[in-house]
């Protein structure tokens, strides 16, 4: 009876509000020159689920949207500037910086965010951008790994995303990545917690509606890392996963866990065709 009551409460919270208007038709151009694809035909593997994939930018208020159109207004770029310093600073026993191997971020990193998570045959596992960064730190720089979604790690991930803005998301879900995709998909549709809610309940079945005072988006992650006005900091996608599952009143997984790595691949693939936006600005 308790779970039935919780489910009923959840249904009320997700009911369409009278002022719910779905996604707007605004156009996102960053710095007057980077034209972003914020709506695209859904990738083939979403057949029957969605006809169109839509960036979370379209579900924000005009004043929040405006912050992302100019790097001088985008608070997330403060952390990108910090990461540039980190990129050029030698660390670890090898005395190497990121720049020593990769040069300037814009020269070699533009496709990274668009294609990760990616299966690494040498490592024998699916790797996220942060996992790849830590492999570089431990194996090539002789430095300590960063804690998953720590400030330094998220800042560097935002720097890498920023030089790929406008590039279409194109993560692979076949071959060696397929088992991770299937695991992530199962998680996406699994109900968690006392509220018995899945990712799909909010972001597939109810996007455009309101849950309490929050306008639900499709939960696309092409804009991560994301600066959230709510907590005034840059947020990693797996920390957002943790928060979502916690909000269902469930025991949650940790950033960097096998479960969240698989979920990141699946959710990222749902946005194939949208532009990389990070660091974006959201509520």
């Amino acid at each position: 009876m308790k779970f039935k009551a919780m489910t009923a409460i959840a249904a009320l919270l997700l009911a369409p509000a009278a002022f719910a208007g779905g996604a707007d038709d605004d156009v996102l151009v960053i710095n007057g020159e980077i034209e972003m694809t914020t709506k695209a035909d859904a990738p083939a593997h979403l057949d029957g689920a969605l006809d169109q994939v839509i960036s979370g930018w379209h579900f924000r208020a005009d004043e929040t949207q405006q912050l992302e159109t100019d790097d001088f207004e985008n608070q997330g770029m403060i952390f990108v500037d910090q990461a540039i310093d980190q990129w050029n600073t030698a660390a670890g026993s090898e005395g190497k910086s990121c720049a020593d191997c990769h040069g300037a971020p814009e020269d070699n990193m533009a496709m990274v965010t668009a294609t990760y998570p990616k299966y690494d045959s040498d490592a024998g596992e699916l790797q996220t951008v942060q996992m790849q960064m830590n492999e570089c730190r431990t194996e090539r720089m002789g430095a300590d790994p960063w804690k998953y979604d720590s400030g330094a790690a998220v800042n560097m991930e935002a720097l890498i995303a920023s030089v790929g803005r406008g590039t279409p998301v194109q993560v692979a879900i076949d071959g060696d990545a397929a088992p991770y995709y299937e695991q992530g998909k199962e998680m996406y549709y699994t109900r968690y917690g006392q509220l018995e809610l899945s990712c799909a309940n909010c972001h597939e079945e109810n996007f455009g509606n309101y849950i309490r005072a929050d306008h639900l988006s499709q939960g696309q992650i092409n804009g991560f890392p994301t600066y959230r006005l709510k907590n005034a900091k840059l947020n990693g996608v797996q920390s957002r996963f943790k928060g979502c599952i916690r909000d269902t009143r469930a025991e949650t997984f940790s950033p960097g866990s096998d479960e969240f790595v698989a979920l990141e691949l699946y959710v990222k693939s749902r946005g194939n065709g949208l532009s990389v936006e990070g660091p974006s600005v959201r509520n």
Side-chain angles (χ1 to χ4, degrees):
M1 292 297 292
K2 182 177 180 181
F3 281 113
K4 289 182 180 178
M6 288 294 185
T7 304
I9 292 171
L12 287 173
L13 289 174
L14 288 166
F19 45 86
D24 65 24
D25 293 319
D26 294 344
V27 176
L28 175 57
V29 180
I30 296 177
N31 298 331
E33 58 183 22
I34 308 175
E35 297 183 4
M36 311 295 285
T37 298
T38 52
K39 293 182 179 181
D41 291 338
H45 63 274
L46 291 186
D47 184 40
L50 295 173
D51 295 324
Q52 185 182 51
V53 290
I54 307 170
S55 166
W57 182 81
H58 282 288
F59 297 86
R60 300 302 93 196
D62 289 346
E63 56 268 25
T64 303
Q65 290 181 332
Q66 181 63 34
L67 294 172
E68 198 177 321
T69 64
D70 191 317
D71 284 353
F72 286 104
E73 294 188 45
N74 184 340
Q75 296 98 317
M77 295 304 294
I78 296 171
F79 303 95
V80 169
D81 288 342
Q82 293 175 8
I84 291 173
D85 291 337
Q86 186 70 43
W87 180 272
N88 293 307
T89 300
S93 60
E94 300 302 309
K96 290 184 177 181
S97 69
C98 302
D100 288 329
C101 290
H102 299 292
E106 57 270 22
D107 292 339
N108 296 295
M109 297 288 113
M111 290 300 298
V112 172
T113 300
T115 56
Y116 273 76
K118 177 188 292 187
Y119 186 82
D120 186 314
S121 57
D122 291 333
E125 63 180 1
L126 186 77
Q127 290 195 337
T128 64
V129 173
Q130 288 193 40
M131 292 167 69
Q132 182 64 63
M133 291 190 309
N134 272 338
E135 183 179 292
C136 283
R137 288 182 61 79
T138 58
E139 301 300 321
R140 296 173 179 81
M141 299 169 71
D144 292 332
W146 285 322
K147 181 180 178 182
Y148 211 98
D149 271 0
S150 64
V154 174
N155 291 357
M156 188 64 75
E157 189 175 12
L159 168 60
I160 293 170
S162 72
V163 299
R165 287 180 294 180
T167 306
V169 174
Q170 47 195 290
V171 294
I173 59 174
D174 56 356
D176 290 323
Y180 300 92
Y181 168 85
E182 294 298 338
Q183 180 185 0
K185 181 178 181 179
E186 181 179 0
M187 286 188 66
Y188 191 86
Y189 289 99
T190 296
R191 293 177 180 268
Y192 287 95
Q194 291 180 326
L195 294 182
E196 295 186 299
L197 290 173
S198 70
C199 307
N201 290 144
C202 287
H203 298 298
E204 185 174 296
E205 299 168 9
N206 280 285
F207 69 89
N209 295 331
Y210 282 78
I211 181 168
R212 298 189 294 272
D214 191 21
H215 196 189
L216 287 171
S217 72
Q218 287 186 345
Q220 301 291 352
I221 61 173
N222 59 301
F224 276 86
T226 292
Y227 182 88
R228 296 192 72 196
L229 302 176
K230 177 180 180 179
N231 59 11
K233 70 174 187 178
L234 206 57
N235 296 263
V237 66
Q238 294 196 19
S239 291
R240 185 80 287 273
F241 291 164
K242 179 180 178 179
C244 280
I245 293 181
R246 181 198 60 224
D247 289 345
T248 69
R249 301 178 187 172
E251 290 291 333
T252 189
F253 306 98
S254 299
S257 64
D258 292 343
E259 291 84 359
F260 277 170
V261 171
L263 184 61
E264 181 174 340
L265 174 66
Y266 176 70
V267 178
K268 187 77 169 284
S269 79
R270 290 174 67 91
N272 276 358
L274 296 176
S275 292
V276 172
E277 272 184 51
S280 63
V281 182
R282 303 289 188 259
N283 287 6

